């Protein structure tokens, strides 16, 4: 697969340019919120409790100890400061990706590395407090370390991959394959990588294991979606409308130009086989747990590498330029076609959610002035607690779910129960009927205007 490199610009200069492009292109979008995904707020709030009360509770199962610990150090910083971490991790992703491409002397390595950061799902997650791009940084770092025959570093990174997102353990077979073929097919080296990786996974995941034992092996969300939604999450939400259009068009054109033979040649290249294993592993996991488009982020760099080997250079440039503009123009959802790209639409989603939570906090402050109260705000609890910065007292409690102690207090009329309609609230109410029997609906439902 090694090809002759083209271009005379020094590598360090290219890396500086890649870093500047990534950082500067993100700065306008990191100031207003931690993101529209409530999981980001949960992680930061978990960090706050870890720091202030020295109690570790997972933000959601199976646990995300690395990002939760980092947030315990910076949870009280401004939004832009917290989001800047994702920007820097994304820049690091691009640098490792560039080095992998340069290792194989792949043509267009510079353009591919920059374009990679503009793929819509990568772009959005580089501007919010989600850990998807953090995890990808460690994944690419581990792969690059294996290519350079550094098993200790690769294993360290693999431990961080898993501690950032536990489901990335599914990529272990692919990394074993890569380790075998790029350490001289030496079983001893592979065994060393295996043992060190498992050791680092155990060390970095220790807070979760000590707190929950094996009970952390559970999912925090439902995984049933319709086939149209699944297709949309795996295409439009990843590459954007323009991006997916140029991808399909280029593949069709290449097919008529002899693309079948190029695909057949891929099986002769061990790194190409590694890319295919990564993509298939990621896709199978996503079909099983199709919660968010971000679940497919680990496969994106390997999709780009495969495309570069399948498409002619002119077609590859066409794809890359399409992906470059994809975040900024045309977003399609089930209700309308928006000329603005997904990055601007996502900013609107964040603003709507922030405004809703600000109004909710004002209402809570008014209702809690005179009467001891428990406010059941379900899946908004972490964002409300973080934004409102409520102090602990006996008169006011904001909860995601009611404990048995909470229920006893409410039944005995010691506290008034207020609630909003949320998914968590509806599930709990179906089980206990506490909300309908003892609660007062105090604010409207959140409805995202798309």
């Amino acid at each position: 697969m090694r090809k002759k490199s083209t271009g005379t610009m020094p590598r360090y200069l290219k890396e500086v340019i890649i870093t500047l492009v990534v950082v500067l292109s993100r700065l306008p979008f990191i100031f207003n919120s931690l993101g529209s995904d409530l999981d980001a707020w949960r992680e930061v709030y978990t960090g706050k409790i870890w720091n202030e009360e020295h109690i570790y509770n997972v933000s959601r199962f199976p646990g995300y100890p690395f990002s939760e610990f980092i947030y315990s150090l910076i949870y009280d910083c401004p939004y832009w400061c917290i989001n800047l971490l994702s920007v820097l991790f994304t820049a690091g992703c691009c640098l490792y990706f560039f080095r992998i491409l340069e290792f194989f002397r792949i043509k267009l390595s510079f353009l591919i590395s920059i374009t990679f950061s503009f793929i819509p799902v990568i772009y959005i997650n580089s501007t919010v407090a989600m850990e998807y791009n953090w995890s990808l940084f460690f994944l690419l770092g581990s792969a690059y370390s294996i290519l350079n025959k550094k098993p200790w570093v690769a294993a360290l990174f693999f431990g961080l991959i898993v501690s950032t997102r536990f489901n990335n353990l599914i990529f272990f077979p692919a990394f074993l394959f890569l380790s075998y073929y790029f350490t001289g097919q030496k079983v001893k080296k592979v065994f060393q990588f295996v043992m060190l990786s498992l050791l680092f996974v155990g060390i970095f995941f220790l807070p979760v294991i000590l707190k929950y034992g094996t009970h952390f092996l559970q999912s925090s969300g439902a995984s049933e979606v319709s086939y149209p939604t699944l297709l949309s999450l795996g295409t439009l939400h990843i590459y954007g409308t323009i991006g997916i259009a140029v991808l399909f068009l280029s593949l069709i054109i290449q097919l008529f130009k002899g693309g079948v033979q190029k695909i057949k040649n891929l099986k002769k290249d061990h790194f190409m086989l590694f890319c295919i294993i990564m993509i298939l592993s990621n896709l199978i996991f996503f079909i099983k747990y199709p919660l968010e488009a971000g679940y497919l982020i680990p496969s994106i760099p390997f999709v780009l590498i495969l495309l570069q080997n399948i498409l002619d250079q002119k077609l590859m440039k066409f794809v890359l330029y399409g992906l470059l503009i994809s975040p900024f123009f045309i977003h399609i959802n089930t209700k309308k076609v928006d000329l603005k790209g997904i990055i601007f639409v996502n900013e609107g989603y964040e603003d709507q959610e922030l405004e809703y939570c600000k109004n909710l906090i004002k209402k809570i402050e008014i209702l809690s002035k005179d009467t001891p109260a428990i406010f059941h705000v379900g899946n908004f609890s972490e964002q409300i607690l973080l934004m409102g910065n409520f102090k602990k007292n006996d008169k006011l409690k904001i909860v995601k779910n009611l404990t048995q102690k909470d229920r006893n207090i409410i039944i005995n009329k010691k506290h008034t129960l207020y609630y909003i309609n949320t998914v968590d609230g509806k599930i709990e109410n179906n089980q206990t009927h506490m909300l309908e029997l003892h609660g007062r609906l105090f604010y409207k439902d959140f409805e995202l205007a798309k």
Side-chain angles (χ1 to χ4, degrees):
M1 176 179 164
R2 288 199 163 209
K3 301 176 181 179
K4 187 176 180 180
S5 181
T6 61
T8 57
M9 192 186 300
R11 193 174 88 169
Y12 74 86
L13 183 56
K14 291 180 179 179
E15 292 183 347
V16 170
I17 293 173
I18 290 170
T19 303
L20 288 175
V21 168
V22 173
V23 173
L24 293 177
S25 63
R26 269 60 175 176
L27 291 184
F29 302 103
I30 64 174
F31 290 92
N32 65 333
S33 168
L34 297 179
S36 58
D37 192 329
L38 292 172
D39 286 342
W41 296 88
R42 293 182 183 116
E43 287 190 28
V44 178
Y45 182 72
T46 292
K48 172 183 168 71
I49 298 303
W50 200 349
N51 182 293
E52 294 181 351
E53 301 181 22
H54 308 294
I55 297 172
Y56 174 67
N57 297 312
V58 295
S59 55
R60 72 269 192 217
F61 288 106
Y64 301 77
F66 180 79
S67 52
E68 291 161 345
F69 172 73
I70 296 299
Y71 287 139
S72 74
L73 306 177
I74 62 169
Y75 67 90
D76 55 350
C77 293
Y79 294 155
W80 70 265
C81 187
I82 296 173
N83 291 335
L84 186 60
L85 268 180
S86 294
V87 177
L88 296 176
F89 272 112
T90 305
C93 287
C94 294
L95 293 178
Y96 267 127
F97 189 37
F98 174 69
R99 291 186 176 187
I100 290 171
L101 297 175
E102 286 286 283
F103 179 88
F104 291 107
R105 301 185 181 184
I106 289 177
K107 293 178 180 179
L108 304 178
S109 60
F110 180 60
L111 181 58
I112 292 172
S113 302
I114 290 178
T115 301
F116 164 66
S117 74
F118 283 85
I119 290 175
V121 71
I122 299 287
Y123 200 116
I124 288 175
N125 284 286
S126 68
T127 62
V128 297
M130 282 297 288
E131 75 298 313
Y132 288 119
N133 293 3
W134 300 30
S135 175
L136 184 61
F137 168 77
F138 296 127
L139 189 150
L140 292 171
S142 184
Y144 181 71
S145 298
I146 290 174
L147 295 177
N148 284 276
K149 297 178 173 53
K150 297 179 179 178
W152 275 85
V153 180
L156 174 64
F157 274 128
F158 195 87
L160 289 167
I161 296 171
V162 177
S163 68
T164 310
R165 290 194 65 81
F166 185 79
N167 56 273
N168 285 332
L169 200 58
I170 63 170
F171 299 124
F172 199 42
F175 274 80
L176 290 182
F177 177 87
L178 187 69
S179 176
Y180 177 74
Y181 281 103
F182 284 88
T183 54
Q185 301 183 22
K186 296 178 180 178
V187 176
K188 183 179 178 181
K189 291 285 185 180
V190 177
F191 181 75
Q192 183 184 27
F193 173 72
V194 169
M195 298 310 296
L196 288 172
S197 295
L198 295 177
L199 174 65
F200 285 123
V201 167
I203 291 172
F204 293 132
F205 224 75
L206 199 58
V208 182
I209 296 171
L210 290 176
K211 179 69 180 284
Y212 299 99
T214 58
H215 295 293
F216 75 89
L217 293 169
Q218 55 181 290
S219 174
S220 293
S223 58
E224 293 184 6
V225 298
S226 64
Y227 288 116
T229 300
L230 181 67
L231 183 62
S232 177
L233 285 173
T235 55
L236 293 175
H237 283 73
I238 302 291
Y239 300 103
T241 305
I242 295 175
I244 207 69
V246 297
L247 270 171
F248 278 121
L249 181 59
S250 298
L251 288 171
I252 291 170
I253 293 172
Q254 186 63 54
L255 186 62
F256 285 101
K257 293 176 65 177
V260 175
Q261 187 57 46
K262 285 196 171 191
I263 294 172
K264 288 180 178 179
N265 291 337
L266 294 178
K267 64 183 181 181
K268 301 175 184 178
D269 190 305
H270 292 130
F271 190 73
M272 287 297 98
L273 290 175
F274 166 72
C275 293
I276 292 169
I277 296 170
M278 289 291 296
I279 295 168
L280 290 177
S281 301
N282 202 185
L283 186 60
I284 291 168
F285 181 83
F286 175 72
I287 292 172
K288 176 66 176 176
Y289 301 102
L291 300 179
E292 296 176 8
Y295 280 26
L296 284 172
I297 282 177
S299 65
I300 293 174
F302 306 106
V303 169
L304 291 176
I305 291 173
L306 279 180
L307 286 172
Q308 196 277 335
N309 278 266
I310 293 171
L311 300 177
D312 292 342
Q313 189 164 327
K314 287 183 179 179
L315 283 175
M316 188 63 190
K317 284 184 178 180
F318 175 60
V319 168
L320 295 176
Y321 292 138
L323 290 171
L324 271 172
I325 64 172
S326 194
F328 307 109
F329 302 100
I330 308 178
H331 174 64
I332 298 176
N333 60 42
T334 53
K335 294 186 177 180
K336 67 175 182 178
V337 176
D338 201 322
L339 293 180
K340 294 183 298 184
I342 194 170
I343 188 67
F344 300 111
V345 172
N346 188 69
E347 286 286 291
Y349 293 166
E350 290 182 19
D351 291 338
Q352 290 179 51
E353 191 175 285
L354 274 180
E355 186 65 22
Y356 178 81
C357 289
K358 286 176 182 176
N359 292 333
L360 201 58
I361 289 168
K362 289 177 183 176
K363 190 72 173 178
I364 290 172
E365 289 172 342
I366 293 170
L367 292 173
S368 62
K369 278 185 178 178
D370 303 317
T371 308
I374 294 176
F375 292 87
H376 191 300
V377 293
N379 45 304
F380 281 102
S381 60
E382 291 90 354
Q383 185 167 357
I384 296 297
L385 286 164
L386 202 60
M387 287 178 60
N389 198 27
F390 293 99
K391 303 299 180 185
K392 280 199 167 184
N393 59 67
D394 296 329
K395 291 183 62 178
L396 169 63
K397 190 173 183 182
I398 296 170
V399 301
K400 183 174 186 176
N401 299 106
L402 297 171
T403 64
Q404 185 59 53
K405 182 180 179 181
D406 294 333
R407 292 196 284 269
N408 292 337
I409 289 172
I410 293 163
I411 292 171
N412 293 326
K413 310 291 186 183
K414 293 181 180 179
H415 278 62
T416 304
L417 172 63
Y418 294 98
Y419 73 94
I420 58 173
N421 282 319
T422 64
V423 173
D424 290 303
K426 290 173 183 176
I427 293 173
E428 183 176 353
N429 191 57
N430 288 336
Q431 296 171 344
T432 66
H433 304 288
M434 283 294 298
L435 302 185
E436 63 183 84
L437 294 176
H438 302 279
R440 302 179 187 178
L441 183 67
F442 76 100
Y443 202 69
K444 62 184 179 181
D445 299 351
F446 175 65
E447 292 186 14
L448 189 65
K450 294 188 177 181

PDB file of all heavy atoms in Angstrom, residues 342-356:
ATOM      1  N   ILE A 342     -25.789  21.555   9.032  1.00  0.00           N
ATOM      2  CA  ILE A 342     -26.113  20.952  10.323  1.00  0.00           C
ATOM      3  C   ILE A 342     -25.416  21.652  11.491  1.00  0.00           C
ATOM      4  O   ILE A 342     -25.941  21.673  12.600  1.00  0.00           O
ATOM      5  CB  ILE A 342     -25.769  19.444  10.307  1.00  0.00           C
ATOM      6  CG1 ILE A 342     -26.408  18.752  11.503  1.00  0.00           C
ATOM      7  CG2 ILE A 342     -24.263  19.217  10.255  1.00  0.00           C
ATOM      8  CD1 ILE A 342     -26.336  17.244  11.440  1.00  0.00           C
ATOM      9  N   ILE A 343     -24.262  22.255  11.253  1.00  0.00           N
ATOM     10  CA  ILE A 343     -23.559  22.915  12.352  1.00  0.00           C
ATOM     11  C   ILE A 343     -24.352  24.130  12.844  1.00  0.00           C
ATOM     12  O   ILE A 343     -24.427  24.402  14.041  1.00  0.00           O
ATOM     13  CB  ILE A 343     -22.114  23.314  11.940  1.00  0.00           C
ATOM     14  CG1 ILE A 343     -21.322  23.811  13.136  1.00  0.00           C
ATOM     15  CG2 ILE A 343     -22.124  24.344  10.818  1.00  0.00           C
ATOM     16  CD1 ILE A 343     -21.030  22.781  14.160  1.00  0.00           C
ATOM     17  N   PHE A 344     -24.995  24.862  11.926  1.00  0.00           N
ATOM     18  CA  PHE A 344     -25.820  26.007  12.310  1.00  0.00           C
ATOM     19  C   PHE A 344     -27.148  25.548  12.910  1.00  0.00           C
ATOM     20  O   PHE A 344     -27.643  26.153  13.861  1.00  0.00           O
ATOM     21  CB  PHE A 344     -26.074  26.908  11.096  1.00  0.00           C
ATOM     22  CG  PHE A 344     -24.820  27.459  10.488  1.00  0.00           C
ATOM     23  CD1 PHE A 344     -24.401  27.035   9.234  1.00  0.00           C
ATOM     24  CD2 PHE A 344     -24.033  28.383  11.177  1.00  0.00           C
ATOM     25  CE1 PHE A 344     -23.240  27.541   8.668  1.00  0.00           C
ATOM     26  CE2 PHE A 344     -22.874  28.890  10.612  1.00  0.00           C
ATOM     27  CZ  PHE A 344     -22.482  28.469   9.363  1.00  0.00           C
ATOM     28  N   VAL A 345     -27.702  24.485  12.345  1.00  0.00           N
ATOM     29  CA  VAL A 345     -28.939  23.926  12.888  1.00  0.00           C
ATOM     30  C   VAL A 345     -28.711  23.440  14.310  1.00  0.00           C
ATOM     31  O   VAL A 345     -29.539  23.654  15.208  1.00  0.00           O
ATOM     32  CB  VAL A 345     -29.443  22.770  11.998  1.00  0.00           C
ATOM     33  CG1 VAL A 345     -30.617  22.045  12.649  1.00  0.00           C
ATOM     34  CG2 VAL A 345     -29.841  23.301  10.628  1.00  0.00           C
ATOM     35  N   ASN A 346     -27.565  22.797  14.542  1.00  0.00           N
ATOM     36  CA  ASN A 346     -27.251  22.296  15.873  1.00  0.00           C
ATOM     37  C   ASN A 346     -27.098  23.432  16.879  1.00  0.00           C
ATOM     38  O   ASN A 346     -27.494  23.300  18.042  1.00  0.00           O
ATOM     39  CB  ASN A 346     -25.965  21.468  15.820  1.00  0.00           C
ATOM     40  CG  ASN A 346     -25.681  20.760  17.127  1.00  0.00           C
ATOM     41  OD1 ASN A 346     -26.382  19.841  17.512  1.00  0.00           O
ATOM     42  ND2 ASN A 346     -24.649  21.195  17.838  1.00  0.00           N
ATOM     43  N   GLU A 347     -26.537  24.561  16.442  1.00  0.00           N
ATOM     44  CA  GLU A 347     -26.446  25.731  17.315  1.00  0.00           C
ATOM     45  C   GLU A 347     -27.842  26.189  17.736  1.00  0.00           C
ATOM     46  O   GLU A 347     -28.062  26.585  18.874  1.00  0.00           O
ATOM     47  CB  GLU A 347     -25.729  26.875  16.589  1.00  0.00           C
ATOM     48  CG  GLU A 347     -24.233  26.674  16.448  1.00  0.00           C
ATOM     49  CD  GLU A 347     -23.492  26.884  17.747  1.00  0.00           C
ATOM     50  OE1 GLU A 347     -23.422  28.028  18.233  1.00  0.00           O
ATOM     51  OE2 GLU A 347     -22.983  25.893  18.289  1.00  0.00           O
ATOM     52  N   GLY A 348     -28.783  26.124  16.797  1.00  0.00           N
ATOM     53  CA  GLY A 348     -30.163  26.482  17.117  1.00  0.00           C
ATOM     54  C   GLY A 348     -30.769  25.529  18.136  1.00  0.00           C
ATOM     55  O   GLY A 348     -31.488  25.964  19.055  1.00  0.00           O
ATOM     56  N   TYR A 349     -30.475  24.228  18.006  1.00  0.00           N
ATOM     57  CA  TYR A 349     -30.957  23.246  18.973  1.00  0.00           C
ATOM     58  C   TYR A 349     -30.419  23.566  20.372  1.00  0.00           C
ATOM     59  O   TYR A 349     -31.148  23.521  21.371  1.00  0.00           O
ATOM     60  CB  TYR A 349     -30.513  21.835  18.585  1.00  0.00           C
ATOM     61  CG  TYR A 349     -31.135  21.293  17.322  1.00  0.00           C
ATOM     62  CD1 TYR A 349     -30.611  20.155  16.714  1.00  0.00           C
ATOM     63  CD2 TYR A 349     -32.232  21.908  16.731  1.00  0.00           C
ATOM     64  CE1 TYR A 349     -31.181  19.638  15.549  1.00  0.00           C
ATOM     65  CE2 TYR A 349     -32.792  21.397  15.568  1.00  0.00           C
ATOM     66  CZ  TYR A 349     -32.265  20.270  14.985  1.00  0.00           C
ATOM     67  OH  TYR A 349     -32.818  19.766  13.832  1.00  0.00           O
ATOM     68  N   GLU A 350     -29.132  23.894  20.440  1.00  0.00           N
ATOM     69  CA  GLU A 350     -28.516  24.226  21.726  1.00  0.00           C
ATOM     70  C   GLU A 350     -29.183  25.448  22.353  1.00  0.00           C
ATOM     71  O   GLU A 350     -29.452  25.476  23.559  1.00  0.00           O
ATOM     72  CB  GLU A 350     -27.015  24.479  21.542  1.00  0.00           C
ATOM     73  CG  GLU A 350     -26.208  23.247  21.210  1.00  0.00           C
ATOM     74  CD  GLU A 350     -24.721  23.543  21.092  1.00  0.00           C
ATOM     75  OE1 GLU A 350     -24.281  24.580  21.613  1.00  0.00           O
ATOM     76  OE2 GLU A 350     -24.004  22.733  20.478  1.00  0.00           O
ATOM     77  N   ASP A 351     -29.445  26.462  21.543  1.00  0.00           N
ATOM     78  CA  ASP A 351     -30.075  27.685  22.044  1.00  0.00           C
ATOM     79  C   ASP A 351     -31.476  27.408  22.587  1.00  0.00           C
ATOM     80  O   ASP A 351     -31.863  27.942  23.635  1.00  0.00           O
ATOM     81  CB  ASP A 351     -30.150  28.745  20.933  1.00  0.00           C
ATOM     82  CG  ASP A 351     -28.779  29.289  20.554  1.00  0.00           C
ATOM     83  OD1 ASP A 351     -27.854  29.192  21.376  1.00  0.00           O
ATOM     84  OD2 ASP A 351     -28.633  29.807  19.429  1.00  0.00           O
ATOM     85  N   GLN A 352     -32.234  26.571  21.882  1.00  0.00           N
ATOM     86  CA  GLN A 352     -33.583  26.228  22.343  1.00  0.00           C
ATOM     87  C   GLN A 352     -33.536  25.524  23.690  1.00  0.00           C
ATOM     88  O   GLN A 352     -34.322  25.823  24.596  1.00  0.00           O
ATOM     89  CB  GLN A 352     -34.270  25.320  21.324  1.00  0.00           C
ATOM     90  CG  GLN A 352     -34.639  25.986  20.017  1.00  0.00           C
ATOM     91  CD  GLN A 352     -35.300  24.985  19.076  1.00  0.00           C
ATOM     92  OE1 GLN A 352     -36.252  24.286  19.441  1.00  0.00           O
ATOM     93  NE2 GLN A 352     -34.790  24.893  17.854  1.00  0.00           N
ATOM     94  N   GLU A 353     -32.622  24.575  23.821  1.00  0.00           N
ATOM     95  CA  GLU A 353     -32.517  23.806  25.060  1.00  0.00           C
ATOM     96  C   GLU A 353     -32.055  24.689  26.213  1.00  0.00           C
ATOM     97  O   GLU A 353     -32.570  24.579  27.338  1.00  0.00           O
ATOM     98  CB  GLU A 353     -31.543  22.640  24.852  1.00  0.00           C
ATOM     99  CG  GLU A 353     -31.555  21.612  25.968  1.00  0.00           C
ATOM    100  CD  GLU A 353     -30.654  20.437  25.642  1.00  0.00           C
ATOM    101  OE1 GLU A 353     -31.062  19.603  24.798  1.00  0.00           O
ATOM    102  OE2 GLU A 353     -29.543  20.363  26.206  1.00  0.00           O
ATOM    103  N   LEU A 354     -31.101  25.579  25.942  1.00  0.00           N
ATOM    104  CA  LEU A 354     -30.633  26.504  26.972  1.00  0.00           C
ATOM    105  C   LEU A 354     -31.752  27.415  27.457  1.00  0.00           C
ATOM    106  O   LEU A 354     -31.921  27.628  28.657  1.00  0.00           O
ATOM    107  CB  LEU A 354     -29.479  27.355  26.437  1.00  0.00           C
ATOM    108  CG  LEU A 354     -28.064  26.806  26.521  1.00  0.00           C
ATOM    109  CD1 LEU A 354     -27.085  27.818  25.932  1.00  0.00           C
ATOM    110  CD2 LEU A 354     -27.667  26.491  27.951  1.00  0.00           C
ATOM    111  N   GLU A 355     -32.525  27.965  26.519  1.00  0.00           N
ATOM    112  CA  GLU A 355     -33.617  28.863  26.873  1.00  0.00           C
ATOM    113  C   GLU A 355     -34.665  28.142  27.714  1.00  0.00           C
ATOM    114  O   GLU A 355     -35.186  28.686  28.694  1.00  0.00           O
ATOM    115  CB  GLU A 355     -34.252  29.432  25.596  1.00  0.00           C
ATOM    116  CG  GLU A 355     -35.301  30.498  25.836  1.00  0.00           C
ATOM    117  CD  GLU A 355     -34.729  31.759  26.459  1.00  0.00           C
ATOM    118  OE1 GLU A 355     -33.502  32.000  26.326  1.00  0.00           O
ATOM    119  OE2 GLU A 355     -35.514  32.497  27.092  1.00  0.00           O
ATOM    120  N   TYR A 356     -34.979  26.910  27.341  1.00  0.00           N
ATOM    121  CA  TYR A 356     -35.935  26.106  28.094  1.00  0.00           C
ATOM    122  C   TYR A 356     -35.450  25.895  29.530  1.00  0.00           C
ATOM    123  O   TYR A 356     -36.211  26.074  30.489  1.00  0.00           O
ATOM    124  CB  TYR A 356     -36.135  24.763  27.408  1.00  0.00           C
ATOM    125  CG  TYR A 356     -37.073  23.825  28.144  1.00  0.00           C
ATOM    126  CD1 TYR A 356     -38.448  23.962  28.024  1.00  0.00           C
ATOM    127  CD2 TYR A 356     -36.575  22.809  28.950  1.00  0.00           C
ATOM    128  CE1 TYR A 356     -39.320  23.106  28.690  1.00  0.00           C
ATOM    129  CE2 TYR A 356     -37.431  21.942  29.623  1.00  0.00           C
ATOM    130  CZ  TYR A 356     -38.806  22.107  29.490  1.00  0.00           C
ATOM    131  OH  TYR A 356     -39.659  21.263  30.164  1.00  0.00           O
TER     132      TYR A 356
END
